[in-house]
Amino acid sequence: MTACVLHHSAPVEKNPLQIQEDLAVPEPGPDSVLIRVSACGVCRTDLHVVEGELPIKKMPVIPGHQIVGVVEKAGSAVFGVAPGDRVGVAWLHHTCGVCKYCKSGKENLCERADFTGYTVNGGYATHAVAPAAFVYHIPPGFKDCQAAPLLCAGIIGYRALKLASLHAGASLGIYGFGAAAHVALQVARFWGIDVYACTRDERHRKLALELGAVWAGGATEPPPNRLDGAIIFAPAGEIVPAALRALDKGGTLVLGGIHMSHIPPLDYDWLYHERVVRSVANNTREDGREFLDLAVRIPVETHTESFPLREANRALNALKHDAIRGAGVLICN
Ligand SMILES: [Zn+2]
Ligand SMILES: [Zn+2]
């Protein structure tokens, strides 16, 4: 099989992913499936893995955790998924099932979880394996490359939105307008929530308005109204004070990324009146299933920019420099 493999983390400008064509196709274990990958989304977390902003868990590693493909082979103990099924693999690759988090409906916080494209190989490849219990059937109606960004950008955006606890008629600020934001905006609109997009990039502000944001402004520009909730998707800690100052009493600020630069000191006045700041970590399988059902009903439209698998380095560079409108996707077969 062919894959883009990371041997040493480095800034993406140095094109650290190596194309390897002579790799053995992995054999699925009894509980796993082998997937012929057709598309794999490019996520900011991949950038954090490749550039070494997250601690190294596996090296070399094949990144990529928004995999869409067709099952080629199923292990002997697999049920519910069969060869020929179109499936997706997300960031949450496997959980232990027995820790206190797994047992209380918080498998996203599992102490022994595996993560696709980070602690195990992912989908920047022509083939990938995943435990059958952790793959999703991709609903018809989405092409492979449109479905790929739903698997992390979509699911994490959805979880972030749920954690912001908003009702119809509420106002939501979205800070940073990449792949996750452009999906979360569509879900928020479907729920009757007014979206205010705060982002440094003019093209992203334009896309936000096209998708139905009521207002779009700069990354730290105060929106015209107080926000009932806000989500920061940009990995920039310096946005936290601006978002808190825009938040109404009792509002929740959700930090949607796995990594964030240093957060400046906060003034207690910005937090007082029961404002909440919280992060989002990973997703549960329930989040994934709920979101995919919802994505069909809305229906979510993903704006994607495709890159051949061999150009994964170029895709990561484009992502880092805000040059992708919507979501980047690698075409793997
Ligand atoms: Zn667990
Ligand atoms: Zn991701």
mmCIF file of all heavy atoms in Angstrom, residues 94-103 106-113, ligand 1:
data_model
loop_
_atom_site.group_PDB
_atom_site.id
_atom_site.type_symbol
_atom_site.label_atom_id
_atom_site.label_comp_id
_atom_site.label_asym_id
_atom_site.label_seq_id
_atom_site.Cartn_x
_atom_site.Cartn_y
_atom_site.Cartn_z
ATOM 1 N N HIS A 94 -10.371 3.621 19.606
ATOM 2 C CA HIS A 94 -10.691 2.499 20.479
ATOM 3 C C HIS A 94 -10.679 2.976 21.921
ATOM 4 O O HIS A 94 -9.902 3.866 22.268
ATOM 5 C CB HIS A 94 -9.645 1.384 20.306
ATOM 6 C CG HIS A 94 -10.020 0.116 21.011
ATOM 7 N ND1 HIS A 94 -9.440 -0.277 22.194
ATOM 8 C CD2 HIS A 94 -10.938 -0.827 20.697
ATOM 9 C CE1 HIS A 94 -9.988 -1.421 22.577
ATOM 10 N NE2 HIS A 94 -10.891 -1.775 21.697
ATOM 11 N N THR A 95 -11.539 2.404 22.750
ATOM 12 C CA THR A 95 -11.507 2.722 24.181
ATOM 13 C C THR A 95 -11.463 1.412 24.971
ATOM 14 O O THR A 95 -11.782 0.347 24.431
ATOM 15 C CB THR A 95 -12.757 3.527 24.616
ATOM 16 O OG1 THR A 95 -13.918 2.790 24.228
ATOM 17 C CG2 THR A 95 -12.774 4.893 23.968
ATOM 18 N N CYS A 96 -11.092 1.508 26.263
ATOM 19 C CA CYS A 96 -10.888 0.280 27.042
ATOM 20 C C CYS A 96 -12.203 -0.373 27.439
ATOM 21 O O CYS A 96 -12.274 -1.580 27.657
ATOM 22 C CB CYS A 96 -10.036 0.579 28.270
ATOM 23 S SG CYS A 96 -10.899 1.425 29.613
ATOM 24 N N GLY A 97 -13.262 0.445 27.594
ATOM 25 C CA GLY A 97 -14.570 -0.117 27.960
ATOM 26 C C GLY A 97 -14.735 -0.418 29.438
ATOM 27 O O GLY A 97 -15.834 -0.765 29.874
ATOM 28 N N VAL A 98 -13.673 -0.299 30.244
ATOM 29 C CA VAL A 98 -13.793 -0.679 31.656
ATOM 30 C C VAL A 98 -13.407 0.431 32.639
ATOM 31 O O VAL A 98 -13.690 0.329 33.830
ATOM 32 C CB VAL A 98 -12.949 -1.948 31.978
ATOM 33 C CG1 VAL A 98 -13.505 -3.154 31.231
ATOM 34 C CG2 VAL A 98 -11.481 -1.748 31.638
ATOM 35 N N CYS A 99 -12.774 1.513 32.172
ATOM 36 C CA CYS A 99 -12.370 2.563 33.118
ATOM 37 C C CYS A 99 -13.606 3.352 33.572
ATOM 38 O O CYS A 99 -14.687 3.188 33.027
ATOM 39 C CB CYS A 99 -11.319 3.484 32.489
ATOM 40 S SG CYS A 99 -11.952 4.608 31.233
ATOM 41 N N LYS A 100 -13.435 4.218 34.574
ATOM 42 C CA LYS A 100 -14.612 4.910 35.130
ATOM 43 C C LYS A 100 -15.267 5.819 34.094
ATOM 44 O O LYS A 100 -16.473 6.042 34.128
ATOM 45 C CB LYS A 100 -14.232 5.687 36.393
ATOM 46 C CG LYS A 100 -13.355 6.887 36.185
ATOM 47 C CD LYS A 100 -13.236 7.677 37.499
ATOM 48 C CE LYS A 100 -12.460 8.954 37.262
ATOM 49 N NZ LYS A 100 -12.307 9.755 38.470
ATOM 50 N N TYR A 101 -14.476 6.327 33.154
ATOM 51 C CA TYR A 101 -15.049 7.208 32.129
ATOM 52 C C TYR A 101 -15.874 6.394 31.133
ATOM 53 O O TYR A 101 -16.992 6.760 30.782
ATOM 54 C CB TYR A 101 -13.938 7.978 31.411
ATOM 55 C CG TYR A 101 -13.078 8.780 32.362
ATOM 56 C CD1 TYR A 101 -11.818 8.343 32.742
ATOM 57 C CD2 TYR A 101 -13.565 9.962 32.921
ATOM 58 C CE1 TYR A 101 -11.052 9.062 33.637
ATOM 59 C CE2 TYR A 101 -12.814 10.687 33.822
ATOM 60 C CZ TYR A 101 -11.547 10.227 34.180
ATOM 61 O OH TYR A 101 -10.798 10.941 35.081
ATOM 62 N N CYS A 102 -15.293 5.272 30.670
ATOM 63 C CA CYS A 102 -16.022 4.409 29.737
ATOM 64 C C CYS A 102 -17.340 3.937 30.359
ATOM 65 O O CYS A 102 -18.355 3.852 29.687
ATOM 66 C CB CYS A 102 -15.177 3.199 29.351
ATOM 67 S SG CYS A 102 -13.896 3.578 28.149
ATOM 68 N N LYS A 103 -17.296 3.648 31.672
ATOM 69 C CA LYS A 103 -18.484 3.088 32.320
ATOM 70 C C LYS A 103 -19.540 4.143 32.622
ATOM 71 O O LYS A 103 -20.646 3.811 33.026
ATOM 72 C CB LYS A 103 -18.090 2.379 33.619
ATOM 73 C CG LYS A 103 -17.496 1.002 33.356
ATOM 74 C CD LYS A 103 -17.157 0.343 34.665
ATOM 75 C CE LYS A 103 -17.047 -1.163 34.539
ATOM 76 N NZ LYS A 103 -16.469 -1.726 35.768
ATOM 77 N N LYS A 106 -18.674 8.522 29.308
ATOM 78 C CA LYS A 106 -17.689 9.534 28.920
ATOM 79 C C LYS A 106 -16.483 8.874 28.267
ATOM 80 O O LYS A 106 -15.339 9.135 28.636
ATOM 81 C CB LYS A 106 -17.241 10.325 30.158
ATOM 82 C CG LYS A 106 -18.354 11.118 30.816
ATOM 83 C CD LYS A 106 -17.827 11.802 32.066
ATOM 84 C CE LYS A 106 -18.949 12.524 32.809
ATOM 85 N NZ LYS A 106 -18.510 12.924 34.157
ATOM 86 N N GLU A 107 -16.755 8.001 27.288
ATOM 87 C CA GLU A 107 -15.639 7.270 26.678
ATOM 88 C C GLU A 107 -14.660 8.209 25.971
ATOM 89 O O GLU A 107 -13.519 7.832 25.728
ATOM 90 C CB GLU A 107 -16.134 6.181 25.729
ATOM 91 C CG GLU A 107 -16.853 6.701 24.510
ATOM 92 C CD GLU A 107 -17.262 5.575 23.565
ATOM 93 O OE1 GLU A 107 -16.931 4.405 23.811
ATOM 94 O OE2 GLU A 107 -17.932 5.886 22.565
ATOM 95 N N ASN A 108 -15.099 9.427 25.670
ATOM 96 C CA ASN A 108 -14.173 10.409 25.074
ATOM 97 C C ASN A 108 -13.008 10.720 26.014
ATOM 98 O O ASN A 108 -11.973 11.208 25.572
ATOM 99 C CB ASN A 108 -14.927 11.703 24.720
ATOM 100 C CG ASN A 108 -15.582 12.364 25.915
ATOM 101 O OD1 ASN A 108 -16.322 11.714 26.659
ATOM 102 N ND2 ASN A 108 -15.313 13.632 26.119
ATOM 103 N N LEU A 109 -13.195 10.454 27.320
ATOM 104 C CA LEU A 109 -12.138 10.733 28.305
ATOM 105 C C LEU A 109 -11.406 9.462 28.739
ATOM 106 O O LEU A 109 -10.623 9.492 29.698
ATOM 107 C CB LEU A 109 -12.746 11.430 29.544
ATOM 108 C CG LEU A 109 -13.506 12.736 29.277
ATOM 109 C CD1 LEU A 109 -14.098 13.284 30.575
ATOM 110 C CD2 LEU A 109 -12.584 13.782 28.646
ATOM 111 N N CYS A 110 -11.645 8.352 28.064
ATOM 112 C CA CYS A 110 -11.060 7.046 28.433
ATOM 113 C C CYS A 110 -9.561 7.169 28.722
ATOM 114 O O CYS A 110 -8.825 7.844 28.008
ATOM 115 C CB CYS A 110 -11.277 6.046 27.299
ATOM 116 S SG CYS A 110 -10.411 4.473 27.570
ATOM 117 N N GLU A 111 -9.134 6.476 29.782
ATOM 118 C CA GLU A 111 -7.726 6.544 30.195
ATOM 119 C C GLU A 111 -6.797 5.764 29.285
ATOM 120 O O GLU A 111 -5.596 5.999 29.277
ATOM 121 C CB GLU A 111 -7.587 6.019 31.631
ATOM 122 C CG GLU A 111 -8.010 7.069 32.626
ATOM 123 C CD GLU A 111 -8.121 6.555 34.050
ATOM 124 O OE1 GLU A 111 -8.152 5.328 34.254
ATOM 125 O OE2 GLU A 111 -8.187 7.414 34.943
ATOM 126 N N ARG A 112 -7.343 4.815 28.541
ATOM 127 C CA ARG A 112 -6.486 3.999 27.663
ATOM 128 C C ARG A 112 -6.980 4.036 26.219
ATOM 129 O O ARG A 112 -6.939 3.044 25.522
ATOM 130 C CB ARG A 112 -6.436 2.557 28.198
ATOM 131 C CG ARG A 112 -5.595 2.433 29.463
ATOM 132 C CD ARG A 112 -5.614 1.033 30.050
ATOM 133 N NE ARG A 112 -6.917 0.685 30.617
ATOM 134 C CZ ARG A 112 -7.308 1.040 31.846
ATOM 135 N NH1 ARG A 112 -6.504 1.741 32.638
ATOM 136 N NH2 ARG A 112 -8.499 0.698 32.287
ATOM 137 N N ALA A 113 -7.460 5.185 25.808
ATOM 138 C CA ALA A 113 -8.007 5.296 24.446
ATOM 139 C C ALA A 113 -6.887 5.297 23.409
ATOM 140 O O ALA A 113 -5.754 5.702 23.689
ATOM 141 C CB ALA A 113 -8.809 6.593 24.324
HETATM 142 ZN ZN ZN B 1 -11.830 3.521 29.140
#
